[in-house]
Amino acid sequence: MSERRTLFGVELDPLTMDETVERCLGAVRDGRRLEIGVVNAAKLVNMRRDPRLAEAVSGCDLVVADGQAVVWAGRVLRAPLPERVAGIDLFLRLLAEAESAGISVYFLGARQEVLEEMLRRVADRFPGLKVAGSRNGYFDDSQQEAIAETIAHSGAQMLFLGMTSPKKEIFTAAHGARTGTRVVHGVGGSFDILAGITKRAPAAWQRMGLEWLYRTLQEPRRLGRRYLTTNAAFVLMTAREFIRLSPQAASANRSH
């Protein structure tokens, strides 16, 4: 088992996409629970501001780098990660594996009309997939326990949460075990992408770590300020950590 890397005080698993998929399938085979956490630059920034989010992510069994910026920061800060494991790509890989292995899945999240459109498209793309059930992501905290029980009764082995942070992490931390599912993966806005509501950045933009810019151009009023502030905060976090870790800083501190 690969030794975890520590980045900004957060422990990440240095896994490739293939290794992550294999861990998930192994959990289903062995009847173990596996909660997956994915982190990008914005989430690492927000984890510093939101103790509940930080605690929920840190409590996951597997934490992988969802953002290219996190992989780059890992290289700079001597905590190398082999590659980006994008949440949506992992989601699609697991759907394909679930279809071929007869693993049942449950979808929780998004608006009702988005969920229904996604289910239609998923059925076209993965016709043999066993969908144990689904529910939209609009519910009060008081309903969480009942929803977890419904998922448990469905017999689903994999649960995909199409909800925003920190709601999906907090639901997983509080009720993931109660759902009875073996793999719990929070996929954020992936339901919207699969439903065709949101367009995903082209591969070249993804490789350059510019998915945030592509999304901002689609929704500038909603996302512009958020991405600019979190990206600036992430660059500053990385610079401070680099200075803290640099040998010159260490020797200067010793000389005082």
Side-chain angles (χ1 to χ4, degrees):
M1 193 171 286
S2 307
E3 194 175 319
R4 290 184 125 184
R5 308 278 191 260
T6 303
L7 201 57
F8 309 112
V10 180
E11 291 198 336
L12 283 88
D13 293 277
L15 300 174
T16 63
M17 177 64 79
D18 289 344
E19 288 167 341
T20 306
V21 170
E22 189 45 50
R23 287 273 188 99
C24 294
L25 296 177
V28 174
R29 276 196 307 269
D30 302 340
R32 286 180 291 107
R33 286 194 57 251
L34 188 70
E35 290 179 9
I36 304 165
V38 296
V39 292
N40 55 20
K43 194 179 289 184
L44 285 169
V45 169
N46 290 332
M47 283 169 70
R48 292 214 158 170
R49 302 168 179 166
D50 185 345
R52 283 183 78 193
L53 175 61
E55 188 182 342
V57 172
S58 299
C60 290
D61 304 293
L62 214 57
V63 182
V64 292
D66 176 46
Q68 190 59 47
V70 179
V71 177
W72 289 337
R75 285 182 202 151
V76 168
L77 301 174
R78 299 193 288 281
L81 301 161
E83 65 183 21
R84 178 190 183 205
V85 181
I88 185 166
D89 293 331
L90 178 58
F91 179 28
L92 290 168
R93 280 286 300 274
L94 290 176
L95 289 179
E97 295 288 350
E99 180 188 32
S100 61
I103 295 167
S104 58
V105 304
Y106 195 102
F107 300 106
L108 175 62
R111 300 193 313 275
Q112 185 63 33
E113 61 271 24
V114 173
L115 179 64
E116 287 171 7
E117 180 59 27
M118 185 203 72
L119 288 168
R120 276 194 290 275
R121 294 186 180 213
V122 164
D124 286 342
R125 192 164 175 176
F126 307 102
L129 181 68
K130 289 164 65 176
V131 179
S134 63
R135 193 204 187 282
N136 67 54
Y138 288 80
F139 50 83
D140 297 326
D141 287 353
S142 61
Q143 296 173 272
Q144 290 189 6
E145 200 170 308
I147 289 167
E149 293 287 357
T150 300
I151 296 167
H153 288 140
S154 78
Q157 294 159 288
M158 288 186 178
L159 169 62
F160 299 104
L161 299 171
M163 301 188 293
T164 55
S165 293
K167 188 174 181 179
K168 66 175 183 286
E169 286 85 2
I170 290 167
F171 177 85
T172 300
H175 303 287
R178 190 183 289 269
T179 67
T181 52
R182 295 303 170 206
V183 174
V184 182
H185 179 22
V187 299
S190 297
F191 287 12
D192 287 43
I193 293 171
L194 262 62
I197 307 298
T198 307
K199 268 186 80 175
R200 194 178 180 197
W205 289 59
Q206 293 176 43
R207 282 194 297 273
M208 291 186 289
L210 293 175
E211 271 187 289
W212 65 272
L213 179 58
Y214 190 86
R215 287 199 63 206
T216 301
L217 293 172
Q218 289 187 81
E219 298 183 79
R221 293 181 70 174
R222 190 172 78 85
L223 298 175
R225 189 172 174 201
R226 185 203 304 177
Y227 276 127
L228 285 174
T229 53
T230 54
N231 285 359
F234 184 74
V235 170
L236 192 60
M237 263 169 62
T238 305
R240 281 180 177 153
E241 194 71 0
F242 180 74
I243 291 164
R244 192 181 71 80
L245 293 172
S246 68
Q248 294 91 340
S251 60
N253 287 339
R254 281 196 298 271
S255 66
H256 287 301

